[in-house]
Amino acid sequence: MASSSSIFQQANKFTILHLRFLMIMLLCHTPHESKLCSTNQNHHQLIFSPSQPRSALETLNLDGYFSYQNTAHAARDFGNRFFFRPAAVLHPKSVPDIASTVKHVYEMGAGTVAARGHGHSLQGQAQADGGIVINMESLIRPRRGGGDGGGRYVDVSGGELWIDVLKETVKHGLTPKSWTDYLHLTVGGTLSNGGISGQAFRHGPQISNVQQLEVVTGKGEVVTCSEKQNAELFFSVLGGLGQFGIITRARISLEPAPNMVKWIRVLYSDFSQFSSDQEHLISLDESFDYIEGFVIINRTGLLNNWQSSFHPKDPVQASQFISDGKTLYCLEVAKYFSTQHDSNETVDMQIQGLLSNLHFIPSTLFISEVSYVGFLDRVHVAEMKLREQGLWEVPHPWLSLLIPGSKMAQFASEVFGSIVTDSSNGPILIYPLNQSKWNNIKKTSLVTPREDVIYHVSFLASAVPSSTGEDGLDYILARNQRILDFSSGAGIGLKQYLPHYTTQEDWKAHFGSKWEVFLKRKLTYDPLAILAPGHRIFKRQYQIQEQTITEGLLKNT
């Protein structure tokens, strides 16, 4: 017979488990529906009494500070579609500022916290309705470089912009290996999503090029993690949409930096030739250093526009090319080189050798020579022009997809030129990636199709405010939904990159076989669902088998 002491301990443990279960059910809430242009009058996740927000936080001993009045900037993002106002914004000056704040919310047993970088979320993912937003750009920490068995690296703050990391590392002749197309994003922000660009076919996304992280969990604990130290947290956070921890420091792998780039564009009228050449290039051991592409539909005077930045190999033939009304596919590639070690002639011979096996339209070969930093920061140049025209801070109903290579031709046949009939309101990116070259990607939280070769396809539309036409927000959103509906009906098997869903079932379908692991990680590192509420993944109303919850709690008791 069990002793009275052991019976009491078992009963006490049972009570604690069920109390924790009830807390999770009560606090893992996000709104059922998205709010479009919400005025945010009624908070769904108030962490304090509205009349006493300061008293609950001013007991914390911080190096930084909270702001309570000027919080409107934290209720908007690049998407310009969702506006959820926080109760307070933390401007941290140290990691303990962040840890103390999260721990305070955790111990209160209520509230939410969102880490906000440069504000480039698309659908309110870095917002916290009535909660706390942490301004990660305030967390400036000294950069430290070094080298070990994993190669050269640099330690940077999670709130630092990639453009600043680049400018600093090239001073030492080094550079990170993998990038996003736009560098004015924070390190923690892109590592929480994946970080994909034209270098990912070779080096993998940015999350494949991280040696170590420092993370503040949903319990307010500061944890250093890597493949060999606290590995479960390390892989959870990478591509984890901010659900398991706030990245406060990242150790980024480096390689020798080039200083110049040969930047090349060519056109195809046949999709099968275009995709075949792209896949050929990413399969080579010695290829270009950057491989992307985009779709051009119903554009006029295309090559004339290119000539402001590129030089045609044959100006006469290029001037005779007509793009009007056609659906064309542009292959965009780049070859990096160092003027100290590589001659122009050698680089040109390498490029010619690679191009000689491709099947593009000969008259459309255009080339430009630019600096390495200038090439990587090319989108920022376009940004400044759009800002001057007042066309930057508009709604951006973007749709980014990862598509199995075996289904790409079927997708293209229906979508390009049928569902999507014009590309004048934003670029349509398309390029293949080779997952077999990605380091430990299956262990991370990033969800991708289960094929070695997948395509990244992004519809990067900008909507004209108040327009009811084809350049209006409603039309573009409806078009995006047509793409998704077709893909679902045709069994394309795509996964959304930078995903956004409003129902628990959609999130479960998105994660698929990773859902149970994702849920267990959430219970381990953020059991009260404090972090990243803007993704709307965990809700009070969400029902889960008690056994799954109990197993997760027992594991952490």
mmCIF file of all heavy atoms in Angstrom, residues 54-80:
data_model
loop_
_atom_site.group_PDB
_atom_site.id
_atom_site.type_symbol
_atom_site.label_atom_id
_atom_site.label_comp_id
_atom_site.label_asym_id
_atom_site.label_seq_id
_atom_site.Cartn_x
_atom_site.Cartn_y
_atom_site.Cartn_z
ATOM 1 N N ARG A 54 1.247 51.191 -16.151
ATOM 2 C CA ARG A 54 2.603 51.491 -15.706
ATOM 3 C C ARG A 54 2.945 50.801 -14.389
ATOM 4 O O ARG A 54 4.056 50.314 -14.210
ATOM 5 C CB ARG A 54 2.787 52.999 -15.561
ATOM 6 C CG ARG A 54 2.582 53.763 -16.866
ATOM 7 C CD ARG A 54 3.012 55.193 -16.712
ATOM 8 N NE ARG A 54 2.770 55.941 -17.931
ATOM 9 C CZ ARG A 54 3.241 57.157 -18.187
ATOM 10 N NH1 ARG A 54 3.974 57.757 -17.258
ATOM 11 N NH2 ARG A 54 2.982 57.763 -19.305
ATOM 12 N N SER A 55 1.994 50.778 -13.482
ATOM 13 C CA SER A 55 2.293 50.250 -12.151
ATOM 14 C C SER A 55 2.710 48.786 -12.212
ATOM 15 O O SER A 55 3.459 48.320 -11.356
ATOM 16 C CB SER A 55 1.075 50.403 -11.245
ATOM 17 O OG SER A 55 -0.028 49.681 -11.770
ATOM 18 N N ALA A 56 2.225 48.074 -13.214
ATOM 19 C CA ALA A 56 2.569 46.657 -13.315
ATOM 20 C C ALA A 56 3.968 46.439 -13.857
ATOM 21 O O ALA A 56 4.541 45.373 -13.696
ATOM 22 C CB ALA A 56 1.551 45.948 -14.213
ATOM 23 N N LEU A 57 4.547 47.439 -14.508
ATOM 24 C CA LEU A 57 5.848 47.282 -15.136
ATOM 25 C C LEU A 57 6.956 48.110 -14.477
ATOM 26 O O LEU A 57 8.128 47.765 -14.596
ATOM 27 C CB LEU A 57 5.772 47.666 -16.617
ATOM 28 C CG LEU A 57 4.923 46.759 -17.511
ATOM 29 C CD1 LEU A 57 4.825 47.340 -18.915
ATOM 30 C CD2 LEU A 57 5.486 45.353 -17.558
ATOM 31 N N GLU A 58 6.571 49.184 -13.814
ATOM 32 C CA GLU A 58 7.596 50.084 -13.289
ATOM 33 C C GLU A 58 8.331 49.525 -12.079
ATOM 34 O O GLU A 58 9.260 50.146 -11.579
ATOM 35 C CB GLU A 58 6.970 51.445 -12.976
ATOM 36 C CG GLU A 58 6.629 52.198 -14.264
ATOM 37 C CD GLU A 58 6.069 53.578 -13.992
ATOM 38 O OE1 GLU A 58 5.670 53.861 -12.835
ATOM 39 O OE2 GLU A 58 6.007 54.379 -14.943
ATOM 40 N N THR A 59 7.901 48.363 -11.619
ATOM 41 C CA THR A 59 8.649 47.703 -10.555
ATOM 42 C C THR A 59 9.903 47.023 -11.091
ATOM 43 O O THR A 59 10.786 46.647 -10.312
ATOM 44 C CB THR A 59 7.770 46.636 -9.874
ATOM 45 O OG1 THR A 59 7.342 45.693 -10.860
ATOM 46 C CG2 THR A 59 6.543 47.276 -9.219
ATOM 47 N N LEU A 60 9.992 46.863 -12.414
ATOM 48 C CA LEU A 60 11.147 46.193 -13.012
ATOM 49 C C LEU A 60 12.354 47.125 -13.029
ATOM 50 O O LEU A 60 12.237 48.317 -13.336
ATOM 51 C CB LEU A 60 10.819 45.754 -14.444
ATOM 52 C CG LEU A 60 9.654 44.768 -14.604
ATOM 53 C CD1 LEU A 60 9.426 44.460 -16.078
ATOM 54 C CD2 LEU A 60 9.921 43.482 -13.830
ATOM 55 N N ASN A 61 13.502 46.562 -12.741
ATOM 56 C CA ASN A 61 14.754 47.317 -12.763
ATOM 57 C C ASN A 61 15.394 47.138 -14.129
ATOM 58 O O ASN A 61 15.989 46.091 -14.423
ATOM 59 C CB ASN A 61 15.692 46.833 -11.652
ATOM 60 C CG ASN A 61 16.985 47.635 -11.592
ATOM 61 O OD1 ASN A 61 17.044 48.758 -12.092
ATOM 62 N ND2 ASN A 61 18.000 47.048 -10.986
ATOM 63 N N LEU A 62 15.276 48.136 -14.990
ATOM 64 C CA LEU A 62 15.700 48.018 -16.382
ATOM 65 C C LEU A 62 16.813 48.997 -16.735
ATOM 66 O O LEU A 62 16.915 50.080 -16.149
ATOM 67 C CB LEU A 62 14.511 48.272 -17.313
ATOM 68 C CG LEU A 62 13.262 47.408 -17.140
ATOM 69 C CD1 LEU A 62 12.189 47.861 -18.112
ATOM 70 C CD2 LEU A 62 13.582 45.937 -17.331
ATOM 71 N N ASP A 63 17.612 48.617 -17.710
ATOM 72 C CA ASP A 63 18.582 49.544 -18.296
ATOM 73 C C ASP A 63 17.900 50.420 -19.342
ATOM 74 O O ASP A 63 18.285 51.564 -19.553
ATOM 75 C CB ASP A 63 19.732 48.773 -18.944
ATOM 76 C CG ASP A 63 20.508 47.945 -17.934
ATOM 77 O OD1 ASP A 63 20.858 48.495 -16.873
ATOM 78 O OD2 ASP A 63 20.766 46.755 -18.207
ATOM 79 N N GLY A 64 16.895 49.863 -19.992
ATOM 80 C CA GLY A 64 16.116 50.600 -20.972
ATOM 81 C C GLY A 64 14.862 51.168 -20.336
ATOM 82 O O GLY A 64 14.827 51.454 -19.135
ATOM 83 N N TYR A 65 13.804 51.299 -21.148
ATOM 84 C CA TYR A 65 12.589 51.921 -20.619
ATOM 85 C C TYR A 65 11.365 51.466 -21.411
ATOM 86 O O TYR A 65 11.477 50.944 -22.521
ATOM 87 C CB TYR A 65 12.703 53.441 -20.677
ATOM 88 C CG TYR A 65 12.777 53.997 -22.089
ATOM 89 C CD1 TYR A 65 11.631 54.443 -22.761
ATOM 90 C CD2 TYR A 65 13.992 54.053 -22.768
ATOM 91 C CE1 TYR A 65 11.700 54.928 -24.055
ATOM 92 C CE2 TYR A 65 14.069 54.543 -24.069
ATOM 93 C CZ TYR A 65 12.910 54.984 -24.694
ATOM 94 O OH TYR A 65 12.980 55.456 -25.979
ATOM 95 N N PHE A 66 10.196 51.687 -20.818
ATOM 96 C CA PHE A 66 8.919 51.449 -21.482
ATOM 97 C C PHE A 66 8.338 52.766 -21.963
ATOM 98 O O PHE A 66 8.504 53.804 -21.323
ATOM 99 C CB PHE A 66 7.910 50.810 -20.518
ATOM 100 C CG PHE A 66 8.128 49.350 -20.273
ATOM 101 C CD1 PHE A 66 8.786 48.918 -19.127
ATOM 102 C CD2 PHE A 66 7.676 48.405 -21.180
ATOM 103 C CE1 PHE A 66 8.978 47.568 -18.889
ATOM 104 C CE2 PHE A 66 7.877 47.058 -20.951
ATOM 105 C CZ PHE A 66 8.526 46.631 -19.808
ATOM 106 N N SER A 67 7.658 52.716 -23.094
ATOM 107 C CA SER A 67 6.834 53.845 -23.520
ATOM 108 C C SER A 67 5.390 53.365 -23.562
ATOM 109 O O SER A 67 5.115 52.226 -23.952
ATOM 110 C CB SER A 67 7.277 54.374 -24.886
ATOM 111 O OG SER A 67 7.195 53.368 -25.881
ATOM 112 N N TYR A 68 4.465 54.245 -23.155
ATOM 113 C CA TYR A 68 3.058 53.876 -23.052
ATOM 114 C C TYR A 68 2.165 54.710 -23.961
ATOM 115 O O TYR A 68 1.070 54.274 -24.315
ATOM 116 C CB TYR A 68 2.582 54.040 -21.603
ATOM 117 C CG TYR A 68 3.440 53.302 -20.606
ATOM 118 C CD1 TYR A 68 4.480 53.935 -19.932
ATOM 119 C CD2 TYR A 68 3.209 51.959 -20.343
ATOM 120 C CE1 TYR A 68 5.264 53.259 -19.022
ATOM 121 C CE2 TYR A 68 3.995 51.267 -19.427
ATOM 122 C CZ TYR A 68 5.024 51.925 -18.779
ATOM 123 O OH TYR A 68 5.811 51.244 -17.873
ATOM 124 N N GLN A 69 2.610 55.884 -24.324
ATOM 125 C CA GLN A 69 1.778 56.778 -25.125
ATOM 126 C C GLN A 69 2.108 56.687 -26.621
ATOM 127 O O GLN A 69 1.230 56.532 -27.458
ATOM 128 C CB GLN A 69 1.960 58.227 -24.641
ATOM 129 C CG GLN A 69 1.634 58.434 -23.175
ATOM 130 C CD GLN A 69 0.207 58.044 -22.823
ATOM 131 O OE1 GLN A 69 -0.720 58.276 -23.602
ATOM 132 N NE2 GLN A 69 0.026 57.448 -21.649
ATOM 133 N N ASN A 70 3.375 56.762 -26.938
ATOM 134 C CA ASN A 70 3.784 56.772 -28.350
ATOM 135 C C ASN A 70 3.999 55.339 -28.847
ATOM 136 O O ASN A 70 5.123 54.906 -29.101
ATOM 137 C CB ASN A 70 5.067 57.596 -28.517
ATOM 138 C CG ASN A 70 4.879 59.029 -28.072
ATOM 139 O OD1 ASN A 70 3.838 59.635 -28.347
ATOM 140 N ND2 ASN A 70 5.872 59.578 -27.393
ATOM 141 N N THR A 71 2.900 54.611 -28.993
ATOM 142 C CA THR A 71 2.991 53.203 -29.369
ATOM 143 C C THR A 71 2.390 52.910 -30.741
ATOM 144 O O THR A 71 2.352 51.756 -31.164
ATOM 145 C CB THR A 71 2.281 52.330 -28.319
ATOM 146 O OG1 THR A 71 0.896 52.715 -28.267
ATOM 147 C CG2 THR A 71 2.908 52.498 -26.945
ATOM 148 N N ALA A 72 1.928 53.940 -31.432
ATOM 149 C CA ALA A 72 1.236 53.711 -32.707
ATOM 150 C C ALA A 72 2.143 53.045 -33.734
ATOM 151 O O ALA A 72 1.681 52.235 -34.544
ATOM 152 C CB ALA A 72 0.701 55.034 -33.253
ATOM 153 N N HIS A 73 3.449 53.364 -33.707
ATOM 154 C CA HIS A 73 4.366 52.778 -34.688
ATOM 155 C C HIS A 73 4.453 51.263 -34.545
ATOM 156 O O HIS A 73 4.728 50.553 -35.523
ATOM 157 C CB HIS A 73 5.765 53.389 -34.528
ATOM 158 C CG HIS A 73 6.472 52.957 -33.276
ATOM 159 N ND1 HIS A 73 6.145 53.466 -32.039
ATOM 160 C CD2 HIS A 73 7.455 52.045 -33.070
ATOM 161 C CE1 HIS A 73 6.907 52.890 -31.115
ATOM 162 N NE2 HIS A 73 7.708 52.036 -31.710
ATOM 163 N N ALA A 74 4.218 50.769 -33.333
ATOM 164 C CA ALA A 74 4.290 49.332 -33.088
ATOM 165 C C ALA A 74 2.993 48.624 -33.472
ATOM 166 O O ALA A 74 2.888 47.408 -33.344
ATOM 167 C CB ALA A 74 4.612 49.060 -31.619
ATOM 168 N N ALA A 75 2.021 49.384 -33.942
ATOM 169 C CA ALA A 75 0.744 48.810 -34.357
ATOM 170 C C ALA A 75 0.622 48.787 -35.885
ATOM 171 O O ALA A 75 -0.474 48.638 -36.411
ATOM 172 C CB ALA A 75 -0.403 49.615 -33.756
ATOM 173 N N ARG A 76 1.736 48.923 -36.575
ATOM 174 C CA ARG A 76 1.706 48.863 -38.028
ATOM 175 C C ARG A 76 2.968 48.181 -38.533
ATOM 176 O O ARG A 76 3.964 48.067 -37.819
ATOM 177 C CB ARG A 76 1.561 50.258 -38.650
ATOM 178 C CG ARG A 76 2.704 51.211 -38.382
ATOM 179 C CD ARG A 76 2.411 52.597 -38.963
ATOM 180 N NE ARG A 76 2.091 52.539 -40.381
ATOM 181 C CZ ARG A 76 0.915 52.982 -40.889
ATOM 182 N NH1 ARG A 76 0.004 53.515 -40.091
ATOM 183 N NH2 ARG A 76 0.675 52.916 -42.191
ATOM 184 N N ASP A 77 2.927 47.732 -39.770
ATOM 185 C CA ASP A 77 4.095 47.074 -40.352
ATOM 186 C C ASP A 77 4.101 47.290 -41.856
ATOM 187 O O ASP A 77 3.260 48.021 -42.402
ATOM 188 C CB ASP A 77 4.132 45.583 -40.001
ATOM 189 C CG ASP A 77 2.850 44.846 -40.367
ATOM 190 O OD1 ASP A 77 2.202 45.231 -41.364
ATOM 191 O OD2 ASP A 77 2.490 43.886 -39.671
ATOM 192 N N PHE A 78 5.037 46.670 -42.536
ATOM 193 C CA PHE A 78 5.210 46.846 -43.976
ATOM 194 C C PHE A 78 3.964 46.417 -44.750
ATOM 195 O O PHE A 78 3.637 46.986 -45.791
ATOM 196 C CB PHE A 78 6.418 46.037 -44.442
ATOM 197 C CG PHE A 78 6.676 46.118 -45.914
ATOM 198 C CD1 PHE A 78 7.093 47.296 -46.516
ATOM 199 C CD2 PHE A 78 6.511 44.991 -46.710
ATOM 200 C CE1 PHE A 78 7.336 47.364 -47.878
ATOM 201 C CE2 PHE A 78 6.753 45.043 -48.082
ATOM 202 C CZ PHE A 78 7.167 46.230 -48.664
ATOM 203 N N GLY A 79 3.243 45.431 -44.237
ATOM 204 C CA GLY A 79 2.037 44.975 -44.923
ATOM 205 C C GLY A 79 0.949 46.026 -44.986
ATOM 206 O O GLY A 79 0.129 46.042 -45.909
ATOM 207 N N ASN A 80 0.914 46.932 -43.991
ATOM 208 C CA ASN A 80 -0.058 48.022 -43.943
ATOM 209 C C ASN A 80 -1.499 47.540 -44.075
ATOM 210 O O ASN A 80 -2.324 48.163 -44.744
ATOM 211 C CB ASN A 80 0.248 49.064 -45.019
ATOM 212 C CG ASN A 80 1.193 50.138 -44.526
ATOM 213 O OD1 ASN A 80 0.928 50.808 -43.539
ATOM 214 N ND2 ASN A 80 2.323 50.253 -45.196
#
